[in-house]
Amino acid sequence: MDYRLLVLGLLRMQDMHGYQMAEVVETHFDDSVHDIKKPTIYDMLKKLAVEGLAESRDEQEGNRPPRTVYSMTDSGDEEFMRLLKASVTQYAPPHAYGDVALMFVDALPAREAARLLAERREALERSWEGHAGADPHHGATALAADRLAHHLRAEIDWLDVAIPRLQASADGDSDE
Amino acid sequence: MDYRLLVLGLLRMQDMHGYQMAEVVETHFDDSVHDIKKPTIYDMLKKLAVEGLAESRDEQEGNRPPRTVYSMTDSGDEEFMRLLKASVTQYAPPHAYGDVALMFVDALPAREAARLLAERREALERSWEGHAGADPHHGATALAADRLAHHLRAEIDWLDVAIPRLQASADGDSDE
DNA sequence: TATAACATGTAACAAGTTACATGATTTC
DNA sequence: GAAATCATGTAACTTGTTACATGTTATA
């Protein structure tokens, strides 16, 4: 999604080749931004180079496979700043995924729907405890972690309204 | 994303051809699930037919273009139920999009970051008022709408913590 | 010394979107 | 009767993922 911003941001910190960037993501960001795949990184780096936002050079160490190292150009940096400002400002609608399921929920007996949502709540609660117990996040990821926590809470709170409501409606029309 | 579930769910209500389903989505769901495109619908219908989850027949009305009407099969209905239960149960991590930006936020002067986040808050607040003012949602979309409202609130609440914090840090290290 | 794991990457496929095609019907 | 719009759909492109290739170092 914001892969452009992510790759630019990482490249900005340090010259890198694709494999290396994949490692950085996997080890340093494994929790929140785990979902960028190697080929995506390679493609993005190539694309950035074509657009003049990054430069590439070939390197070789010992007789390991040669590798293509990328570094940021000035216009790359400008683009990064531009994208960053736009992304920070913009409100990304919080989900929509999973919402489709909610729209069809009355295809299920209310009692079962309530049960399934309760299961979801369970999983969330565990996830929440994991977060609360974790060491407070350091600088860069603190904001994102905090935001995640707020949304986890919101999801739980919402379920605490929705589940009883479904249960009530299950008890109400038991004439089926 | 959940396009499979969406298309199955719509088809379950009524036999349809692709164009018609695109219209239903556009007119009935324009708010929350506006983001499925016509070719996606066509492709999904074809795929469902190949998998035996839907059946197709050709129809023609007057001398308008002939059209391919799909209808649900029994195994389609089972698949729908299976998918639905899984989706309702599962907690979809609330976002991650936009989070990349937050991770790089300290590339900006704290003061500017605070200003941009305040802008984001503005937009959210407007969106929130829109929701609060809207007519209460009817059955099917009520759950989803309610959930959205909770998350909108959560995002605003989080910003109300994050913005002052950034501002404080801007005032703190004004030695730059 | 055979097997596993590391380092570096590409090819082939899947999913979705934008842009277009084509004929009928309405509108000016 | 020309221009717009409706009705129905497909082709071509973009983006991202899974699965594979290829040589090198570590391990049993």
Side-chain angles (χ1 to χ4, degrees):
Chain A
M1 181 66 35
D2 267 350
Y3 292 153
R4 204 183 178 71
L5 182 61
L6 177 58
V7 169
L8 277 171
L10 291 171
L11 197 55
R12 195 167 164 274
M13 309 172 58
Q14 172 187 350
D15 292 7
M16 279 196 248
H17 56 281
Y19 188 84
Q20 186 180 1
M21 188 173 289
E23 271 197 332
V24 168
V25 168
E26 192 168 333
T27 62
H28 275 49
F29 298 85
D30 197 47
D31 33 357
S32 34
V33 195
H34 56 305
D35 54 338
I36 186 172
K37 298 300 189 306
K38 263 190 306 167
T40 307
I41 292 176
Y42 280 98
D43 280 2
M44 186 55 73
L45 286 171
K46 262 180 211 163
K47 211 181 300 179
L48 292 176
V50 168
E51 294 176 52
L53 304 177
E55 277 171 358
S56 69
R57 61 179 186 279
D58 288 3
E59 272 188 9
Q60 181 147 16
E61 185 174 331
N63 50 1
R64 281 192 290 181
R67 55 208 191 186
T68 308
V69 177
Y70 292 84
S71 54
M72 204 88 162
T73 65
D74 286 354
S75 53
D77 203 71
E78 286 164 23
E79 172 75 354
F80 169 75
M81 285 300 178
R82 218 184 47 67
L83 270 181
L84 177 59
K85 288 181 207 167
S87 285
V88 169
T89 306
Q90 201 194 339
Y91 165 59
H95 40 69
Y97 311 108
D99 273 13
V100 173
L102 295 180
M103 291 177 34
F104 290 121
V105 101
D106 21 298
L108 296 168
R111 205 175 307 273
E112 179 164 18
R115 192 173 55 71
L116 294 174
L117 285 180
E119 228 177 279
R120 180 189 191 134
R121 193 188 179 291
E122 280 297 306
L124 271 164
E125 191 75 45
R126 277 195 297 279
S127 175
W128 168 262
E129 277 157 18
H131 266 268
D135 37 350
H137 280 254
H138 36 298
T141 53
L143 275 176
D146 214 41
R147 178 168 178 245
L148 177 57
H150 271 81
H151 280 281
L152 276 178
R153 227 330 107 201
E155 181 89 3
I156 294 179
D157 288 348
W158 161 69
L159 283 169
D160 284 339
V161 174
I163 294 175
R165 195 178 291 166
L166 271 171
Q167 240 144 13
S169 99
D171 298 343
D173 46 50
S174 45
D175 52 328
E176 190 173 74
Chain B
M1 184 64 38
D2 268 348
Y3 290 153
R4 202 183 181 72
L5 182 60
L6 177 57
V7 169
L8 277 171
L10 290 173
L11 197 55
R12 193 163 164 278
M13 309 171 60
Q14 172 187 351
D15 291 7
M16 278 195 247
H17 56 279
Y19 188 84
Q20 187 181 0
M21 188 174 289
E23 271 195 331
V24 168
V25 168
E26 191 167 336
T27 64
H28 276 50
F29 299 85
D30 198 46
D31 33 357
S32 34
V33 195
H34 57 304
D35 54 338
I36 186 172
K37 298 300 188 305
K38 261 190 308 167
T40 306
I41 291 176
Y42 281 98
D43 281 2
M44 187 55 72
L45 285 172
K46 261 180 211 162
K47 210 180 304 179
L48 293 176
V50 167
E51 296 176 49
L53 304 177
E55 277 171 357
S56 71
R57 61 181 186 277
D58 287 4
E59 273 188 8
Q60 182 146 15
E61 185 174 332
N63 50 1
R64 282 192 289 181
R67 57 207 190 185
T68 308
V69 178
Y70 293 84
S71 53
M72 205 83 164
T73 64
D74 287 353
S75 53
D77 204 71
E78 286 164 23
E79 171 75 354
F80 170 76
M81 285 301 178
R82 217 184 47 68
L83 270 181
L84 177 58
K85 289 181 206 167
S87 285
V88 169
T89 306
Q90 199 194 343
Y91 165 58
H95 40 71
Y97 310 107
D99 272 12
V100 173
L102 294 180
M103 293 178 33
F104 290 121
V105 102
D106 23 297
L108 296 169
R111 205 176 307 273
E112 180 164 17
R115 193 173 55 69
L116 293 174
L117 284 180
E119 229 176 278
R120 180 190 191 132
R121 193 187 179 292
E122 280 298 304
L124 272 166
E125 191 74 45
R126 278 196 297 279
S127 176
W128 169 261
E129 277 157 18
H131 266 267
D135 36 351
H137 282 253
H138 37 297
T141 53
L143 274 178
D146 214 41
R147 177 168 179 246
L148 177 57
H150 270 80
H151 280 281
L152 276 178
R153 230 326 111 200
E155 180 89 3
I156 294 179
D157 288 348
W158 162 68
L159 284 168
D160 285 338
V161 175
I163 295 174
R165 195 178 292 166
L166 271 171
Q167 240 144 14
S169 97
D171 296 343
D173 46 48
S174 45
D175 52 328
E176 187 170 80

